[in-house]
Amino acid sequence: MNMNLTEVICTSRDGDRFEKLKSCYIRGSAIKYLRLPPDLLEKAAEIQEQEARSGRGGGRNNAPRGGGSGRGRGRGGRGRSARGGGRSGRGRGRESTSGRTVAK
């Protein structure tokens, strides 16, 4: 969970210095613990309900049906079987007249 914060007060490791930052980006892997005031969570729930009633917001439920390029939908290519199939993509080798694959 990456975070963009505004109006941040940064405390030094030893706790004796403070810096006020206009904005700050924190990568999710650096976050160990996050504490939020309870009233903030309640306010966020109210805002989500209001947006759902007014039709605002870009949630998944508002996405157009069909097509799409979301996960699991492929990229519109021909697929593995149409381009040779094998791991290296070089085809399956020569086939003899008996139908068995012959090594190159």
Side-chain angles (χ1 to χ4, degrees):
M1 166 181 40
N2 298 333
M3 300 177 71
N4 283 313
L5 305 175
T6 57
E7 300 297 323
V8 177
I9 298 174
C10 181
T11 308
S12 65
R13 287 182 186 249
D14 53 6
D16 63 344
R17 289 176 293 152
F18 303 95
E19 288 184 60
K20 193 170 186 179
L21 304 173
K22 187 174 179 181
S23 64
C24 179
Y25 174 81
I26 302 175
R27 186 173 174 176
S29 63
I31 300 172
K32 294 180 183 174
Y33 181 72
L34 182 65
R35 192 168 113 190
L36 300 173
D39 59 331
L40 181 69
L41 297 174
E42 293 169 4
K43 187 185 286 188
E46 290 174 8
I47 291 172
Q48 282 182 340
E49 289 175 10
Q50 289 174 355
E51 288 180 353
R53 279 189 238 125
S54 66
R56 290 185 55 187
R60 292 178 181 219
N61 295 335
N62 296 337
R65 295 183 58 99
S69 60
R71 289 186 171 189
R73 301 272 185 219
R75 295 186 305 225
R78 293 183 302 180
R80 174 165 266 204
S81 63
R83 65 171 198 257
R87 289 179 186 243
S88 63
R90 295 185 192 140
R92 292 185 294 182
R94 290 191 317 235
E95 291 191 20
S96 68
T97 56
S98 64
R100 288 189 237 145
T101 302
V102 177
K104 291 184 177 182

